[in-house]
Amino acid sequence: MEGLKAVLVDPFADMVAAPDFLLQVLWEGLVSGVLYALIALGFVLIFRSSRIFNFAQGIMVVFAALTLVGLHSAGLPAWIAFAGTLLVMFLLAVVIERVVLRPLVGQPDIILFMATIGVTLFLVGGGELIFGGENKVMISDALGMPSGAFEFAPWGGFLLLEARDVTVVVGAVAMVVALLAFLGFSKMGRAIRALGDDHTAALSVGISLSTIWVLVWFLAGIIALMTGIAWGSRAGVSFALQVIALKALPVLMLGGLESITGAIVGGLMIGILEKVFEIYWGQPLLGGSTEAWFAYVLALLVLLFRPQGLFGEKIIERV
Amino acid sequence: MLYRTSGQFKTTYRSDQALFPIRQDAFLLGIILLFAWVILPASASSFAFQTLLIPVLIYALAATGLNVLTGYAGQLSLGTGAFMGVGAYACYKLITLFPELNLIVAVLLSGLFSAGAGVLFGLPSLRIKGFYLAIATLAAQFFLVWLFEKWGWLYNYNASGAIQVPNVSMFGIWVAGPQATDRAQYFFVLALVTVLTMVTINLTRGNLGRSWKAVRDMDIAAELIGINLLKAKLQAFAVSSYLVGVAGALFVFFWRGAAEPNLFNIDLSFRVLFIAIIGGLGSVLGNWLGAILIVALPVVLNTAPHWVGLDISSSTVEHVNVMIVGALIVFFLIVEPHGLARLWALIREKLIHWPFPY
């Protein structure tokens, strides 16, 4: 009885007793959820157009952020460094398409997945070799991101929103809108969607596979750079960032591998729920750091009821 | 010439399906076993035992376990590291709770615990397929490592949170712990791995193995010809996790000597997956080739600059190593997506005809 009360009643009593704290927790969860969603978005873009499960998305985030910081510390102004990083990500996309993907066209999914893990290791080693392994400070001020914080007092309590987090959320929303507009209304974007719907049909109307792959990896690179700036401004730039790539996996599974909506909804859901679970259940009852596994277990439970994820394409099996 | 098969007639179906239908294969294996059992242990240095021989054996066993699941039954697993952890912690608890227990029995029993964990996390495999299934094993990976850290009973509540292998003797010889000699550890591991590999080879050749392959190739079709999917998949999870668990127990007791939860993190899972894939999915030989490559590569790369006379700082070497391993993985996947085992099969095919073109 006592145990049941601690699990089912006490956490909600805590929430009601301190609504301002609950809001703070939700906000924190929302911000990390936005970042998960961004990474998952990079995954989905690549998966839709090439069925490649791109494990390297996480290290691309680190690599983009490191390049940006590295170029800036070499004396370049922030905006030129930003453009330079975009160029580097474009070259990376071209090289990956040419060297890794093209020879592996048509191989089973798991082989391509392993190849992206190989790319990950290569970038980890290369990044540490060029930029060094230590933690770096993101150049948020030079990029013109506001600092400071907004304070609110809901229900006579206290709620603190970091200006940087607000920028991150607004920036992410703007980017997602831009991306959806690009996919929906531009010629290239339609080609990407066509390739996602039906490979053969897309090829037969003259869509170039390799152009689209480079484009998609470049888009993923841009998203990686944005994610790197956003996450780096909160926690600094280091190789520890890679672990958030692993967090993107349950986000994807939860949302469905093919769905952009799924990536966003899944990211926000996991960000918020894992924070709430950690604060109200994990720390008092389970000894903390439940964030390490909560996302995976949640995704697993959802998949048991919807094997294709919340927004995935229905799996039709034929013999 | 060397591999000529002429004159070796098979008169029964049984002899055609034997483990070594070609005499030279059996001969080759005999030589390898001679090396493994006599020549290498007699000549190896402590360094060779600790950095090459013992890890190759253990990783090969772990990869064999994973290969049963991923290569034979077609279920992707990213949780190998955690299942190795289950085996290691179970063995540690068994040895500390029952100090008089024979170590062989303890190691073999600890595999059962990890088999149980494997079956539990394998249950969703009936509904979730392909990449989506990776999430079930990832959940196992992160949850179990978290559990190793938080559940004090597992490491006997010691302050460091790590497990330390005690001295264990068998028949008057120290086989595990700080007192044990490299050679005793090597023979213990070699014996167990040899036996388990033989069992696995025969499992995959038999009824069970054929039902796994049917499930891998197309599970609905397998169901239609009368294979119980739930049973076949769970058997694959159980056998696979058993082997992986035993490998985990050996990993800590005969190689590392101590372990903290982070040792079993996702990097270990990926390393074993590399071995299985580079070696060749659906092949027992491949695990050995892959394990030799992945274990020996860093050792070679670390010592290579000294031979050439280059003086590079060790951290640079470390980073370059990671890059080279990554590049090699991509390289091998492009050259032969079916792994080193397929490469050997092609070479063997050529050898049979050599020196004639056809």
Side-chain angles (χ1 to χ4, degrees):
Chain A
M1 232 16 239
E2 196 60 28
L4 218 56
K5 181 171 170 291
V7 174
L8 294 178
V9 181
D10 288 354
F12 295 104
D14 287 347
M15 285 182 203
V16 178
D20 56 330
F21 182 65
L22 176 65
L23 273 184
Q24 184 78 47
V25 171
L26 289 178
W27 169 251
E28 297 287 330
L30 179 76
V31 175
S32 46
V34 164
L35 293 166
Y36 294 155
L38 279 182
I39 297 198
L41 210 55
F43 268 98
V44 167
L45 271 181
I46 290 177
F47 189 84
R48 270 176 71 97
S49 61
S50 53
R51 317 302 291 177
I52 294 172
F53 199 83
N54 176 29
F55 191 74
Q57 184 70 27
I59 188 65
M60 276 164 68
V61 171
V62 180
F63 198 77
L66 281 174
T67 312
L68 181 62
V69 174
L71 286 178
H72 185 255
S73 64
L76 294 171
W79 291 103
I80 296 183
F82 185 81
T85 313
L86 284 184
L87 185 68
V88 170
M89 295 317 282
F90 178 69
L91 292 178
L92 189 69
V94 174
V95 171
I96 289 180
E97 195 276 332
R98 188 68 201 83
V99 177
V100 183
L101 301 181
R102 209 180 288 179
L104 286 173
V105 172
Q107 294 294 344
D109 295 348
I110 182 158
I111 301 291
L112 288 161
F113 173 58
M114 286 320 278
T116 64
I117 298 183
V119 172
T120 306
L121 286 182
F122 190 81
L123 288 179
V124 169
E128 289 193 347
L129 193 66
I130 301 171
F131 303 107
E134 68 275 13
N135 202 337
K136 295 205 175 50
V137 181
M138 179 40 80
I139 47 168
S140 347
D141 293 329
L143 284 170
M145 287 171 76
S147 55
F150 306 106
E151 288 174 25
F152 298 96
W155 300 290
F158 179 72
L159 178 65
L160 182 86
L161 308 187
E162 292 270 348
R164 272 191 189 142
D165 292 350
V166 179
T167 322
V168 165
V169 172
V170 173
V173 171
M175 197 174 74
V176 169
V177 171
L179 185 70
L180 289 178
F182 173 76
L183 288 177
F185 301 113
S186 76
K187 204 173 169 186
M188 279 296 193
R190 278 203 298 272
I192 292 177
R193 285 191 300 144
L195 207 60
D197 281 347
D198 190 330
H199 246 107
T200 331
L203 287 176
S204 71
V205 295
I207 292 170
S208 155
L209 195 62
S210 48
T211 316
I212 296 296
W213 278 12
V214 170
L215 179 66
V216 165
W217 278 76
F218 180 46
L219 281 180
I222 297 176
I223 295 177
L225 175 58
M226 295 301 180
T227 323
I229 293 174
W231 199 283
S233 71
R234 287 165 60 82
V237 183
S238 76
F239 283 86
L241 261 174
Q242 263 192 85
V243 294
I244 55 170
L246 289 169
K247 271 292 170 54
L249 296 181
V251 168
L252 285 168
M253 308 282 177
L254 189 71
L257 283 171
E258 294 92 358
S259 161
I260 290 178
T261 330
I264 296 166
V265 174
L268 297 182
M269 234 175 102
I270 282 186
I272 291 173
L273 286 180
E274 80 173 7
K275 195 70 96 194
V276 169
F277 183 81
E278 166 72 10
I279 299 285
Y280 290 100
W281 282 272
Q283 279 172 5
L285 299 172
L286 294 168
S289 42
T290 54
E291 278 164 321
W293 54 264
F294 178 78
Y296 303 92
V297 175
L298 177 71
L300 180 59
L301 292 177
V302 171
L303 285 186
L304 280 179
F305 295 98
R306 272 187 74 86
Q308 71 275 37
L310 289 177
F311 297 90
E313 287 164 11
K314 181 136 187 58
I315 301 167
I316 301 165
E317 289 188 273
R318 296 189 179 88
V319 179
Chain B
M1 285 288 276
L2 294 170
Y3 241 92
R4 205 148 64 184
T5 54
S6 58
Q8 300 183 27
F9 299 113
K10 304 287 176 296
T11 48
T12 60
Y13 185 68
R14 200 181 172 76
S15 68
D16 198 40
Q17 291 292 309
L19 197 48
F20 300 109
I22 296 176
R23 216 175 291 137
Q24 283 89 338
D25 283 345
F27 183 67
L28 203 61
L29 184 75
I31 294 180
I32 291 171
L33 282 180
L34 184 74
F35 261 93
W37 279 97
V38 182
I39 298 177
L40 286 180
S43 61
S45 64
S46 174
F47 174 79
F49 274 124
Q50 288 300 328
T51 57
L52 290 173
L53 297 177
I54 298 179
V56 163
L57 290 172
I58 294 171
Y59 277 124
L61 182 65
T64 308
L66 177 64
N67 224 325
V68 164
L69 188 62
T70 306
Y72 285 95
Q75 313 293 312
L76 179 62
S77 165
L78 299 178
T80 319
F83 293 125
M84 283 176 82
V86 174
Y89 276 89
C91 193
Y92 175 73
K93 280 312 281 186
L94 283 171
I95 285 292
T96 47
L97 284 179
F98 312 103
E100 65 281 1
L101 194 66
N102 188 316
L103 191 56
I104 295 184
V105 179
V107 168
L108 290 179
L109 278 181
S110 58
L112 292 180
F113 289 90
S114 116
V119 169
L120 189 68
F121 283 99
L123 277 174
S125 70
L126 204 67
R127 257 183 89 69
I128 308 174
K129 284 166 191 168
F131 274 128
Y132 286 104
L133 181 61
I135 205 69
T137 49
L138 270 179
Q141 171 70 51
F142 288 97
F143 182 74
L144 289 172
V145 170
W146 176 82
L147 199 66
F148 298 153
E149 204 176 304
K150 297 288 173 190
W151 192 8
W153 181 79
L154 279 179
Y155 48 86
N156 290 346
Y157 302 101
N158 65 21
S160 64
I163 54 176
Q164 198 77 36
V165 176
N167 282 310
V168 185
S169 76
M170 255 172 56
F171 315 118
I173 306 168
W174 295 107
V175 288
Q179 296 257 21
T181 64
D182 300 320
R183 197 157 287 137
Q185 289 183 318
Y186 174 75
F187 276 118
F188 190 101
V189 176
L190 182 63
L192 263 181
V193 172
T194 311
V195 171
L196 286 174
T197 306
M198 261 158 48
V199 171
T200 314
I201 290 176
N202 281 319
L203 273 183
T204 55
R205 276 154 41 88
N207 209 353
L208 202 55
R210 282 199 292 272
S211 69
W212 290 339
K213 286 177 203 164
V215 170
R216 170 192 66 190
D217 290 345
M218 182 168 250
D219 57 355
I220 295 186
E223 200 172 11
L224 286 177
I225 58 169
I227 289 169
N228 184 340
L229 277 192
L230 179 65
K231 209 170 119 195
K233 283 182 179 175
L234 289 188
Q235 276 165 341
F237 268 99
V239 172
S240 158
S241 317
Y242 181 84
L243 294 172
V244 167
V246 170
L250 296 175
F251 184 74
V252 170
F253 271 71
F254 296 93
W255 184 32
R256 286 310 179 98
E260 52 183 13
N262 261 335
L263 187 63
F264 304 107
N265 66 9
I266 190 141
D267 292 338
L268 182 62
S269 303
F270 277 130
R271 199 169 315 136
V272 178
L273 191 61
F274 284 147
I275 292 175
I277 290 191
I278 287 196
L281 286 176
S283 144
V284 173
L285 170 72
N287 302 314
W288 290 84
L289 299 177
I292 292 170
L293 182 77
I294 293 285
V295 171
L297 195 65
V299 180
V300 173
L301 290 177
N302 272 329
T303 46
H306 295 291
W307 296 339
V308 194
L310 284 173
D311 190 32
I312 310 172
S313 76
S314 65
S315 68
T316 311
V317 172
E318 187 82 10
H319 302 327
V320 174
N321 273 353
V322 178
M323 282 178 83
I324 293 179
V325 171
L328 272 180
I329 287 169
V330 175
F331 173 77
F332 275 109
L333 289 176
I334 291 173
V335 171
E336 186 49 76
H338 299 286
L340 297 172
R342 173 66 66 88
L343 223 50
W344 163 243
L346 292 175
I347 293 172
R348 187 166 158 275
E349 203 74 359
K350 288 263 188 297
L351 274 178
I352 287 176
H353 298 300
W354 187 83
F356 306 108
Y358 302 107

